Amino acid sequence: GAGVSQTPSNKVTEKGKYVELRCDPISGHTALYWYRQSLGQGPEFLIYFQGTGAADDSGLPNDRFFAVRPEGSVSTLKIQRTERGDSAVYLCASSLRGNNEQFFGPGTRLTVL
Amino acid sequence: AQSVTQLGSHVSVSEGALVLLRCNYSSSVPPYLFWYVQYPNQGLQLLLKYTSAATLVKGINGFEAEFKKSETSFHLTKPSAHMSDAAEYFCAVSVHTGGGNKLTFGTGTQLKVEL
């Protein structure tokens, strides 16, 4: 079946602009995670959704970052007033509720000029 | 807080040689541990996981890892490296949160396989 998909695959924006990154999880997966992977680093947790609600947003770096999942499926990560330090690969993963195996999407590479 | 340390950011082996990638963890509770592989421009793929059952875990592509509580280690091995194993490998520990399991990753080990 289809895996986790993320769009766009690449996004180049200018400092100060607003961006949205989309994640489409595996059908039936109620848990959805966002991670950020900076160059040369491992992925870092940002936020976790169970259904429509954000169950843990402790990894969001500041209030410029926000994520939604209004219907419990597709999620959008929103970044306001982008900064050069936001440049990274943003990864999305999904899993069945209570299952510890997460399936990752290919990521969105965000470049802030 | 949980953490993961991967010793050696770059490892190079000859084709056919033993692969050993090191991972040590820190966890205040019994951990769930994972190894993921990342090929260039691709997402993370799960190699194997430890979830408190057998301490020797076998994964895909001939990889295995052994959980050693006394050493707080979860090293990844493969008896004979293949060129297709060249990739970046991440060790991760799972933290239970609000019904989910957020992963804390190490900084990764880039594996190079030479002829």
Side-chain angles (χ1 to χ4, degrees), chain B residues 13 15 19 72:
Chain B
V13 300
E15 190 174 35
V19 175
T72 61

Side-chain angles (χ1 to χ4, degrees), chain A:
Chain A
V4 177
S5 62
Q6 292 186 246
T7 55
S9 55
N10 281 283
K11 176 70 177 179
V12 180
T13 191
E14 294 179 341
K15 180 177 179 297
K17 299 290 189 182
Y18 168 83
V19 296
E20 290 189 351
L21 312 179
R22 174 187 167 111
C23 171
D24 203 336
I26 293 172
S27 178
H29 281 192
T30 58
L32 186 146
Y33 304 79
W34 284 99
Y35 295 85
R36 179 169 70 173
Q37 186 175 17
S38 300
L39 192 63
Q41 302 296 316
E44 294 179 307
F45 170 79
L46 294 177
I47 187 170
Y48 154 63
F49 287 89
Q50 182 58 250
T52 60
D56 184 345
D57 64 357
S58 61
L60 295 178
N62 51 60
D63 61 5
R64 295 187 297 105
F65 288 75
F66 190 72
V68 295
R69 196 185 183 199
E71 298 178 357
S73 179
V74 170
S75 176
T76 304
L77 179 66
K78 308 181 180 193
I79 310 174
Q80 297 177 323
R81 304 183 305 279
T82 52
E83 300 177 356
R84 292 192 181 88
D86 298 335
S87 296
V89 176
Y90 289 81
L91 297 168
C92 177
S94 70
S95 74
L96 292 169
R97 181 185 175 92
N99 190 306
N100 49 54
E101 182 170 347
Q102 296 179 27
F103 294 84
F104 282 81
T108 294
R109 182 176 299 277
L110 175 66
T111 302
V112 182
L113 301 177

Side-chain angles (χ1 to χ4, degrees), chain B residues 21-101:
Chain B
L21 304 183
R22 298 178 186 274
C23 172
N24 288 88
Y25 70 90
S26 172
S27 177
S28 56
V29 298
Y32 288 175
L33 294 160
F34 304 80
W35 275 99
Y36 281 87
V37 61
Q38 188 174 39
Y39 296 100
N41 301 315
Q42 293 188 28
L44 294 161
Q45 180 182 5
L46 181 66
L47 274 178
L48 49 81
K49 62 180 179 180
Y50 167 77
T51 57
S52 74
T55 57
L56 182 62
V57 181
K58 294 186 184 299
I60 61 172
N61 301 338
F63 284 93
E64 62 182 39
E66 186 172 7
F67 173 70
K68 292 187 177 180
K69 184 178 179 180
S70 61
E71 299 178 6
T72 61
S73 70
F74 190 57
H75 301 331
L76 182 71
T77 61
K78 181 174 180 178
S80 177
H82 190 272
M83 295 297 289
S84 61
D85 295 327
E88 187 150 28
Y89 293 79
F90 292 94
C91 182
V93 62
S94 174
V95 177
H96 186 73
T97 174
N101 295 283

